[in-house]
Amino acid sequence: MPVFVVSAPSGTGKTTLNRRMLKECPRLEMSVSHTTRGPRQGEVDGVHYHFIKADEFRAMVEAHAFIEWAEVHGNLYGTTFSELKRIENGGKDPLLEIDIQGWHNAKNLLDNAISIFILPPSMSSLWQRLEKRGSDPLEIRWVRLQNAYDEIQKAHEYDILIINNDLEVAYQKLKSIILSGKPEGKGDPEGLMLCQTLNVEFETADWIKGLREKMGSLKTVSE
Ligand code: ADP
Ligand code: 5GP
């Protein structure tokens, strides 16, 4: 049975795409990760995440409970072997919404995985989406934008790149990959080129230079 792995820089649209995918594709089931971060408003333990303390997480690492785990924005997140087994025993295909390091750590263990990386059409649209979502203050959005730059350097580690410019178009591409279960030739062929363009934008765009100057003193802020 395939395992679907979806990663994207924060704000790209993976939650929006995955939520619709889970509604329309009953064969898929979201893998519920363990995390040391606290629940946000509306999040339910065991549904959105298994919320645990750092020492419990460490004990699970020692006990080799995780197929992958990573520290993301200062919190620990991991996918357990038992969660994947539970989903597969129920006859479904797991959908893992994990970060880039997690995929890097798990890819040798998940030989049946189809990995998908979602790209924003530009850094400026990513910035606008982070603003539009309205969930994070300026300094956190800036940390996320910088992390996005680092994450985009690893996009080539994925089977498929999808550009989330027009939401409907991106959704239909994701859906066709998940329904067919085959990674070949279904992503956006211009994805890797876009990664270069995003790098250049991050390194040279005036609006980012302005932000860098403004946020310079806050560079060490983390979530
Ligand atoms: P992520 O889960 O990757 O952090 P979200 O799904 O929360 O991202 O999306 C971030 C914001 O961008 C949300 O306000 C969402 O409605 C918006 N968004 C997602 N995809 C698009 C798109 N293709 N065009 C414009 N806005 C989008
Ligand atoms: P959030 O705290 O916003 O829910 O998630 C932050 C980041 O952690 C997202 O990039 C999300 O994909 C990632 N993440 C969630 N669960 C896991 C997991 O089990 N493993 C890894 N490596 N990353 C995860």
Side-chain angles (χ1 to χ4, degrees):
M1 268 195 243
V3 172
F4 295 96
V5 173
V6 176
S7 305
S10 179
T12 302
K14 62 186 175 305
T15 309
T16 310
L17 289 164
N18 285 343
R19 277 203 189 139
R20 180 164 166 203
M21 199 65 237
L22 285 161
K23 259 195 215 145
E24 294 183 15
C25 185
R27 207 186 82 209
L28 272 189
E29 186 170 342
M30 181 67 94
S31 163
V32 181
S33 299
H34 284 67
T35 183
T36 60
R37 92 151 157 74
R40 295 187 185 127
Q41 203 176 8
E43 283 183 336
V44 179
D45 188 32
V47 175
H48 297 95
Y49 282 105
H50 299 285
F51 295 101
I52 58 171
K53 299 211 166 8
D55 54 352
E56 291 175 77
F57 196 102
R58 295 279 175 210
M60 288 176 73
V61 171
E62 293 289 307
H64 305 288
F66 293 115
I67 191 159
E68 66 76 28
W69 67 275
E71 184 172 335
V72 189
H73 311 313
N75 293 303
L76 302 172
Y77 296 82
T79 308
T80 57
F81 286 98
S82 59
E83 175 65 357
L84 294 190
K85 193 134 243 52
R86 184 190 68 74
I87 295 172
E88 288 180 344
N89 287 346
K92 304 240 181 147
D93 297 338
L95 173 63
L96 271 60
E97 197 182 285
I98 62 176
D99 88 312
I100 285 88
Q101 309 161 70
W103 170 237
H104 184 81
N105 298 339
K107 62 190 204 179
N108 292 332
L109 296 171
L110 286 171
D111 51 11
N112 54 343
I114 295 174
S115 60
I116 302 161
F117 191 84
I118 320 268
L119 286 163
S122 64
M123 290 307 239
S124 60
S125 57
L126 181 65
W127 185 248
Q128 281 159 16
R129 287 178 197 174
L130 286 167
E131 274 179 339
K132 178 175 134 196
R133 189 168 61 185
S135 55
D136 309 297
L138 178 65
E139 60 271 29
I140 300 292
R141 282 186 268 127
W142 174 233
V143 171
R144 288 181 181 222
L145 193 76
Q146 293 174 95
N147 288 344
Y149 173 78
D150 293 338
E151 290 161 0
I152 286 162
Q153 315 309 315
K154 306 259 173 65
H156 63 274
E157 295 192 17
Y158 288 74
D159 296 319
I160 295 160
L161 301 181
I162 295 180
I163 302 168
N164 182 17
N165 186 12
D166 180 298
L167 185 60
E168 187 60 30
V169 171
Y171 176 71
Q172 293 305 333
K173 281 184 186 153
L174 181 65
K175 188 170 171 181
S176 88
I177 290 157
I178 289 184
L179 292 182
S180 72
K182 290 198 196 81
E184 295 89 13
K186 292 276 177 62
D188 285 316
E190 65 275 42
L192 282 177
M193 287 278 282
L194 174 63
C195 291
Q196 302 289 338
T197 309
L198 296 171
N199 283 346
V200 172
E201 186 185 355
F202 185 82
E203 285 156 13
T204 63
D206 285 342
W207 68 273
I208 297 188
K209 280 188 197 155
L211 261 174
R212 200 173 279 122
E213 275 162 27
K214 184 171 171 189
M215 306 305 293
S217 58
L218 294 169
K219 267 214 169 107
T220 53
V221 168
S222 74
E223 294 168 82

